[in-house]
């Protein structure tokens, strides 16, 4: 990938160099072809020097045009006026002398840039002169009755200017429509003012060349200053719209646009890029101890450090919100992004800020998640979600860690299960107040499933589904009235039909959470029988999902071996005999034998856990199981 990126950059540079060389070659060739040896009178030489001085001054008073920061000055008005009044020779010599002086003054600018600008102006002036003459224009006095000829010539000047300049940006990889729209929409007023001023200067030349030039310069200087202030204000407002005022980094809105743009570009080109989402560790603790004012100062400091450390072409660093920040790394894969983020993390660790001693690591630190763009990612929110998950995994490892998102990671799968278990247990805690037995039953079935899942030939995803399904399989009993759940006598037919509906109610409850969708078959079908006599669908054999068949064995075994008033509690050995007796009828024979083998080899004593739960195993419930 790095070699492909380097090759692309080299190819881009070659195209840019070729383009600039072509412009320079064409400009120099046109100058040599159309300029004549100077044979000016004394007054013409003096006027020539005055025009050159005017071009140099106005070039010094340039201003930046939005949206891309292109520089523009009023010197074109002087050059065009010289062309219309004195002809092509004077205009070309004004260009030659003025750019010679500018090259001597601005030595910090490389010589080829001065040559490129000079060549571009030569092409513009020669093209304008040719169209002006072709349309019937006469060099000398202003032809008031033929204003359209001047307007046509000015239009050609503007078109050639924007075409040459825009072509360079297109070669750099910028969208052509965006480049030209930026020039025409945002900068047309500045260009039009400059070009029309050339007609004003042309009229002034007729009356008094030197006084007219002086008067024009006074007007042009004021206009240049005004445009400079106007566009500085524009850039200031534009920056405020995309810059986070607290940290000086890009804000959330700009990040969203930049990520969307980068994603769309990578979809077209196949280029890789990575997103880093990082969170300042223990920031809330710092805020609580030192106050929000000091916390804001820490954010400013951290933002400044990120900006300094992420000084790399194309990298976008933004404040995502609160103490979270994002870094978009173009043409960078996950491993390189990990190394890059770890380098920044270590530099941050070594950077002191007042009060960081209270942090667990004794220094300023952050946890970060890295995700690499892949072709299956179709939405920017997917990238952010994956980066957020990876950041969560980094924090789960003790913070001050950078973690790459990888859905096949054992660590991630373990933490995902733990997170889902905590979420499910929060719901199951409702059973403590409504039905203690069902709560305990679910916890025991979950533990059996954890053990059995390692003994079966299951994928990692199937293991996770079985374990979580075991924990939440009886969630539908929350819908059963308390008096039915806690009834000590045998249930009536109506009550039994109500209890049987708990599998459907459980399915409805779990289906409201997208994360629990894989668990729905276990919740709904764990009371189906292998012989087809179960409920709610009466499925038979392989029609029943295999994880639901496995859960049926576990669920029934726990129901037989825990105390209930309507039947005698069986010992483990008696329950094993029962499982074998009903294998092929109620239970899948394969899963029944696997579970029996696990029970015979293991030792299961729930008393310690039940004491920890603060519950009593002697609670009765005829609706359990």
């Amino acid at each position: 990938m790095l070699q492909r990126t380097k090759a692309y950059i080299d190819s881009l540079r070659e195209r840019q160099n070729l383009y600039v060389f072509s412009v320079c070659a064409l400009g120099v060739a046109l100058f040599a072809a159309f300029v004549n040896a100077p044979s000016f009178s004394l007054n013409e030489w003096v006027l020539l020097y005055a025009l050159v001085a005017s071009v140099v001054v106005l070039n010094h008073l340039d201003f930046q045009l939005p949206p891309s920061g292109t520089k523009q000055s009023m010197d074109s008005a002087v050059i065009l006026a010289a062309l219309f009044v004195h002809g092509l020779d004077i205009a070309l010599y004004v260009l030659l002398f003025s750019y010679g002086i500018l090259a001597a003054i601005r030595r910090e600018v490389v010589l080829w840039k001065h040559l490129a600008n000079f060549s571009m102006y030569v092409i513009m002036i020669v093209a304008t002169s040719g169209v002006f003459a072709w349309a019937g224009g006469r060099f000398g006095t202003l032809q008031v009755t033929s204003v359209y000829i001047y307007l046509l010539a000015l239009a050609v000047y503007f078109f050639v200017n924007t075409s040459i300049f825009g072509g360079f940006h297109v070669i750099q990889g910028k969208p052509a429509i965006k480049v030209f729209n930026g020039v025409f929409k945002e900068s047309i007023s500045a260009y039009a003012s400059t070009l029309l001023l050339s007609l004003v200067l042309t009229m002034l030349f007729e009356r008094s060349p030197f006084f007219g030039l002086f008067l024009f310069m006074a007007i042009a200087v004021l206009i240049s200053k005004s445009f400079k202030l106007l566009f500085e204000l524009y850039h200031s407002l534009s920056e405020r719209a995309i810059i986070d005022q607290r940290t000086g980094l890009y804000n959330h809105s700009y990040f969203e646009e930049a990520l969307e743009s980068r994603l769309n570009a990578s979809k077209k080109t196949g280029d890789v890029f990575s997103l880093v989402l990082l969170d300042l560790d223990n920031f809330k603790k710092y805020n609580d101890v030192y106050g929000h004012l000091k916390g804001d100062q820490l954010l400013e400091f951290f933002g400044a450090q990120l900006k300094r450390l992420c000084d790399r072409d194309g990298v976008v660093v933004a404040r995502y919100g609160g103490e979270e920040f994002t870094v978009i790394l173009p043409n960078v894969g996950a491993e390189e992004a990990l190394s890059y983020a770890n380098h920044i993390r270590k530099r941050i660790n070594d950077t002191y800020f007042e009060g960081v001693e209270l942090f667990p690591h004794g220094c300023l630190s952050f946890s970060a998640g890295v995700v690499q763009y892949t072709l299956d990612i179709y939405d920017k929110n997917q990238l952010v979600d994956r980066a957020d998950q990876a950041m969560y995994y980094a924090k789960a490892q003790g913070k001050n860690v950078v973690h790459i998102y990888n859905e096949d990671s054992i660590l991630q799968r373990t933490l995902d299960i733990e997170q889902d278990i905590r979420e499910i247990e929060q719901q199951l805690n409702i059973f403590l107040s409504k039905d203690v037995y069902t709560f305990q039953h679910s916890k025991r079935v979950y533990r059996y499933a954890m053990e059995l899942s390692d003994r079966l030939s299951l994928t990692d995803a199937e293991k996770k589904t079985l374990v979580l399904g075991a924990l939440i399989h009886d969630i539908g009993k929350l819908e059963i009235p308390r008096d039915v759940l806690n009834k000590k006598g045998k249930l009536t037919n109506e009550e039994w039909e109500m209890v049987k509906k708990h599998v459907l109610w459980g399915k409805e409850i779990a289906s409201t959470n997208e994360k629990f969708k894989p668990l729905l078959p276990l919740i709904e079908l764990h009371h189906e029988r292998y012989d087809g006599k179960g409920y709610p669908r009466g499925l038979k054999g392989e029609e029943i999902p295999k994880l639901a068949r496995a859960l049926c064995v576990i669920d029934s075994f726990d129901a037989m071996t825990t105390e209930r008033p309507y039947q005698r509690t069986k010992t483990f050995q008696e329950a094993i005999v029962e499982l074998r007796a009903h294998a092929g009828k109620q239970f899948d024979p394969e899963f029944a034998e696997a579970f029996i083998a696990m029970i015979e080899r293991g030792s299961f004593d729930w008393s310690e856990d039940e004491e920890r739960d603060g519950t009593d195993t002697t609670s009765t419930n005829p609706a359990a199981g």
Side-chain angles (χ1 to χ4, degrees):
M1 180 57 68
L2 289 175
Q3 290 180 346
R4 188 174 70 175
T5 302
K6 185 177 183 301
Y8 172 76
I9 293 173
D10 291 342
S11 172
L12 187 63
R13 286 174 178 168
E14 288 178 7
R15 294 200 300 269
Q16 291 173 353
N17 292 340
L18 180 61
Y19 183 83
V20 173
F21 176 79
S22 300
V23 171
C24 291
L26 179 59
V28 171
L30 289 175
F31 182 87
F34 286 94
V35 76
N36 297 308
S39 56
F40 306 133
S41 65
L42 180 60
N43 282 341
E44 287 177 326
W45 276 111
V46 173
L47 180 61
L48 175 64
Y49 293 143
L51 291 171
V52 169
S54 300
V55 170
V56 172
V57 170
L58 291 175
N59 200 279
H60 179 71
L61 295 174
D62 57 8
F63 46 86
Q64 289 189 330
L65 298 177
S68 60
T70 306
K71 287 190 174 182
Q72 172 70 7
S73 66
M74 294 286 182
D75 57 352
S76 292
V78 175
I79 297 170
L80 285 168
L83 171 68
F84 292 144
V85 175
H86 298 284
L88 186 58
D89 272 354
I90 286 285
L92 290 178
Y93 275 110
V94 168
L95 273 177
L96 178 65
F97 293 159
S98 58
Y99 270 87
I101 294 172
L102 288 171
I105 295 174
R106 297 178 176 174
R107 294 182 181 178
E108 72 279 3
V109 180
V110 292
L111 190 60
W112 70 263
K113 287 188 177 181
H114 287 296
L115 178 60
N117 284 330
F118 168 76
S119 301
M120 183 174 68
Y121 272 97
V122 169
I123 297 170
M124 291 155 55
I125 287 296
V126 170
T128 303
S129 174
V131 170
F132 182 75
W134 170 81
R138 294 195 304 273
F139 299 105
T141 59
L142 181 66
Q143 300 166 262
V144 180
T145 57
S146 303
V147 174
Y148 71 92
I149 298 177
Y150 293 94
L151 295 179
L152 176 62
L154 295 179
V156 170
Y157 185 89
F158 174 67
F159 176 76
V160 174
N161 183 303
T162 54
S163 296
I164 295 174
F165 175 76
F168 181 76
H169 284 277
V170 170
I171 284 181
Q172 288 182 313
K174 297 180 181 179
I177 294 177
K178 187 175 181 180
V179 170
F180 290 108
N181 278 350
V183 174
F184 279 94
K185 289 183 179 180
E186 303 290 348
S187 311
I188 189 68
S189 60
Y191 276 112
S193 300
T194 301
L195 299 177
L196 290 175
L197 278 174
S198 65
L199 298 182
V200 175
L201 182 55
T202 301
M203 288 186 289
L204 292 174
F205 273 164
E206 285 190 87
R207 301 290 181 178
S208 176
F210 294 102
F211 179 74
L213 182 60
F214 169 77
L215 186 59
F216 170 81
M217 283 298 295
I219 297 172
V221 168
L222 291 175
I223 293 177
S224 296
K225 288 285 188 181
S226 298
F227 272 127
K228 190 169 187 177
L229 291 173
L230 175 63
F231 291 130
E232 283 178 355
L233 177 62
Y234 174 91
H235 285 293
S236 176
L237 293 175
S238 298
E239 284 192 355
R240 286 191 177 187
I242 63 173
I243 297 298
D244 175 65
Q245 299 304 305
R246 175 64 59 196
T247 61
L249 303 175
Y250 289 117
N251 59 22
H252 183 95
S253 297
Y254 182 84
F255 161 73
E256 292 279 352
E257 292 178 6
L259 184 60
E260 183 79 40
S261 176
R262 174 57 58 183
L263 182 64
N264 291 336
S266 292
K267 285 179 181 178
K268 294 178 181 177
T269 63
D271 291 337
V272 72
F273 74 93
S274 293
L275 172 65
V276 182
L277 179 62
L278 57 91
D279 183 90
L280 196 56
D281 291 332
N282 304 108
F283 178 72
K284 184 179 183 301
K285 182 178 181 181
Y286 189 91
N287 248 352
D288 293 341
V289 173
Y290 293 104
H292 291 287
L293 180 61
K294 197 69 178 176
D296 288 344
Q297 293 175 359
L298 175 58
L299 288 176
E300 291 176 15
F301 176 79
F302 186 72
Q305 297 305 309
L306 276 184
K307 191 173 184 178
R308 177 177 63 85
L309 294 171
C310 296
D311 185 16
R312 181 170 172 172
D313 289 343
V315 173
V316 176
V317 188
R319 184 184 181 190
Y320 190 71
E323 65 271 25
E324 290 186 338
F325 299 82
T326 58
V327 182
I328 301 174
L329 296 167
N331 304 312
V332 172
E335 292 296 335
E336 186 181 349
L338 174 69
S339 176
Y340 186 81
N342 266 322
H343 171 73
I344 296 171
R345 182 182 59 80
K346 291 172 183 177
R347 295 288 297 274
I348 291 291
N349 290 165
D350 295 335
T351 304
Y352 179 76
F353 189 82
E354 183 182 357
V356 296
E357 298 87 357
L358 69 86
F359 291 145
H361 294 93
C363 64
L364 193 60
S365 68
F366 63 78
S367 301
V370 173
V371 61
Q372 176 182 315
Y373 165 75
T374 53
L375 293 176
D376 63 318
I377 294 176
Y378 60 88
D379 182 71
K380 67 178 186 294
N381 293 325
Q382 286 180 284
L383 277 167
V384 176
D385 288 343
R386 291 183 181 186
D388 186 62
Q389 288 181 47
M391 186 174 71
Y392 164 78
Y393 303 137
K395 285 187 174 293
Q397 296 175 66
K399 301 182 180 180
N400 198 23
V401 172
V402 181
H403 185 85
I404 297 177
Y405 176 84
N406 179 3
E407 59 186 10
D408 295 324
S409 165
I410 296 176
L411 170 66
Q412 288 182 195
R413 290 198 302 269
T414 302
L415 292 174
D416 279 342
I417 292 177
E418 291 176 355
Q419 186 180 22
D420 289 340
I421 287 173
R422 283 194 295 271
E423 189 171 339
I424 291 173
E425 284 188 322
Q426 287 177 358
Q427 294 181 306
L428 288 180
N429 281 335
I430 302 174
F431 279 134
L432 285 173
S433 61
K434 190 170 185 179
D435 181 16
V436 174
Y437 178 86
T438 303
F439 175 82
Q440 293 178 342
H441 167 69
S442 298
K443 295 291 287 290
R444 288 192 299 269
V445 171
Y446 154 71
R447 295 181 187 118
Y448 281 134
M450 284 278 287
E451 182 77 16
L452 182 62
S453 67
D454 289 332
R455 297 172 180 269
L456 300 177
S457 298
L458 302 177
T459 65
D460 290 328
E462 289 173 334
K463 288 180 180 180
K464 177 181 176 181
T465 299
L466 177 59
V467 169
L468 295 179
L471 187 60
I472 202 175
H473 74 285
D474 273 342
I475 192 72
K477 289 184 178 178
L478 289 172
E479 297 296 321
I480 300 175
R482 185 191 299 266
D483 59 334
V484 175
L485 284 174
N486 296 323
K487 185 176 181 179
K488 296 184 178 181
K490 190 174 181 179
L491 299 177
T492 65
N493 289 336
E494 292 77 13
E495 290 169 339
W496 174 238
E497 290 300 320
M498 180 186 298
V499 169
K500 287 167 63 176
K501 290 181 179 178
H502 79 278
V503 294
L504 300 177
W505 292 332
K507 178 184 177 182
E508 290 178 5
I509 294 171
S511 63
T512 60
N513 190 326
E514 191 70 28
K515 293 168 63 177
F516 298 156
K517 290 291 179 65
L519 313 182
L520 299 184
L522 281 78
I523 297 171
E524 181 184 9
L525 305 175
H526 68 275
H527 280 294
E528 297 288 350
R529 291 171 53 106
Y530 199 72
D531 58 10
K533 297 179 181 179
Y535 66 89
R537 296 178 180 269
L539 301 179
K540 183 179 180 179
E542 301 293 326
E543 294 177 350
I544 308 168
K546 68 177 182 180
L547 298 183
R549 301 199 304 270
L551 181 56
C552 177
V553 175
I554 302 170
D555 182 49
S556 298
F557 180 85
D558 185 71
M560 288 187 283
T561 56
T562 52
E563 186 175 347
R564 289 182 293 177
Y566 57 89
Q567 69 173 34
R568 185 180 68 82
T569 304
K570 293 180 173 63
T571 65
F572 274 24
Q573 192 57 46
E574 290 173 332
I576 289 173
V577 171
E578 192 77 11
L579 288 180
R580 284 202 171 111
H582 289 84
K585 300 175 184 177
Q586 182 176 353
F587 309 118
D588 183 313
E590 180 184 351
F591 290 129
E593 281 304 321
F595 184 79
I596 289 170
M598 180 191 79
I599 294 297
E600 289 179 336
R601 294 172 187 170
S603 175
F604 298 92
D605 181 5
W606 309 126
S607 58
E608 181 181 345
D609 291 322
E610 287 162 351
E611 288 175 7
R612 191 181 300 121
D613 291 335
T615 55
D616 182 3
T617 59
T618 61
S619 299
T620 59
N621 189 344

